Amino acid sequence: MTTMSIRYDPASANPGVRYVRLGYLTTFESGQTLTVGDRIGGTKRGAKLTPAYYALLDSLDPTVGDREFPAAELGLLGWLADQGLIAVVTDGADLTELTMVPVPRREMAIVEELEDGYILRVSEKQPFLVSGLGARFLSLMDGERSLAEIARAVKTEVLADPAVRLAVQDDEREQGRTFDSVLVDEALALIRDLARSGGVSFEPPE
């Protein structure tokens, strides 16, 4: 296990950057541990967290790109990034930046179908909403494919329907954004909700 010290990394202070906590958190009597790389083909390692590191990791939301971190927290983020314990997704990222591999950890179940998505429950955790597009990612999370690969597979599946493809093209023109950017936003929302629920961990590619 590794004990961490604070170091300031000014490279972490990039506007619009989103931080993704990798691995999963475990609570012991002595404190919390972050375990990363626990998957087939991965290199499993752990880091014992100080209260400051735990609070910061627990607060990260990859859907938020305008959060202002104080200098002390930027130092923590710089150390975590250097150690490969968090991933960094830049503002306006394309699918290639979704290198993390989703690994299912707990049983998940759809408890209600809505017009705009599904209510998903992970074990006994509070249920949350997953969009119809986001739900397409779930069945492809096999612990081997990266989020980028999954997003491309979802894109191919969605655009295979000519009527849907035309609707997507109309949306791109009207909204001034690409379908890829929509998929990135869906992926980041899934990271936030699935990691918080413990249903899925997101692991480094190697």
Side-chain angles (χ1 to χ4, degrees):
M1 307 299 277
T2 304
T3 301
M4 295 168 285
S5 57
I6 296 176
R7 182 181 62 79
Y8 177 65
D9 184 356
S12 298
N14 295 321
V17 162
R18 287 94 184 291
Y19 297 94
V20 175
R21 190 201 80 208
L22 299 176
Y24 55 87
L25 294 166
T26 307
T27 299
F28 301 97
E29 289 185 4
S30 59
Q32 287 80 26
T33 296
L34 176 65
T35 302
V36 171
D38 184 7
R39 70 179 185 89
I40 296 175
T43 302
K44 183 178 178 180
R45 59 192 188 279
K48 186 176 181 181
L49 303 174
T50 65
Y53 275 101
Y54 174 75
L56 177 58
L57 284 170
D58 194 49
S59 73
L60 294 180
D61 183 345
T63 67
V64 176
D66 58 357
R67 176 175 170 179
E68 295 185 4
F69 294 94
E73 289 187 341
L74 287 174
L76 304 183
L77 289 168
W79 193 96
L80 290 164
D82 284 348
Q83 299 301 311
L85 301 176
I86 59 173
V88 176
V89 178
T90 60
D91 186 32
D94 58 25
L95 297 180
T96 61
E97 291 194 36
L98 301 178
T99 59
M100 57 291 296
V101 178
V103 179
R105 298 289 174 191
R106 296 180 182 175
E107 182 177 348
M108 296 181 284
I110 292 174
V111 296
E112 186 177 354
E113 183 174 351
L114 307 174
E115 289 187 6
D116 57 349
Y118 304 88
I119 300 296
L120 187 70
R121 182 187 293 277
V122 177
S123 300
E124 299 303 316
K125 298 289 186 177
Q126 183 72 22
F128 54 90
L129 175 66
V130 176
S131 73
L133 182 59
R136 291 175 180 264
F137 285 66
L138 299 177
S139 64
L140 302 177
M141 293 182 176
D142 56 9
E144 297 182 3
R145 283 178 281 193
S146 70
L147 263 181
E149 293 172 305
I150 292 171
R152 292 189 189 102
V154 168
K155 179 181 179 180
T156 298
E157 178 184 301
V158 170
L159 299 184
D161 184 323
V164 174
R165 185 166 63 250
L166 287 174
V168 167
Q169 291 170 351
D170 288 342
D171 287 343
E172 287 181 327
R173 285 192 294 269
E174 292 176 5
Q175 298 175 11
R177 60 181 306 202
T178 66
F179 187 48
D180 280 8
S181 70
V182 174
L183 289 167
V184 170
D185 286 348
E186 289 290 344
L188 293 174
L190 284 171
I191 290 171
R192 177 195 62 201
D193 296 330
L194 293 173
R196 284 178 178 175
S197 70
V200 175
S201 70
F202 295 85
E203 306 295 342
E206 296 179 356

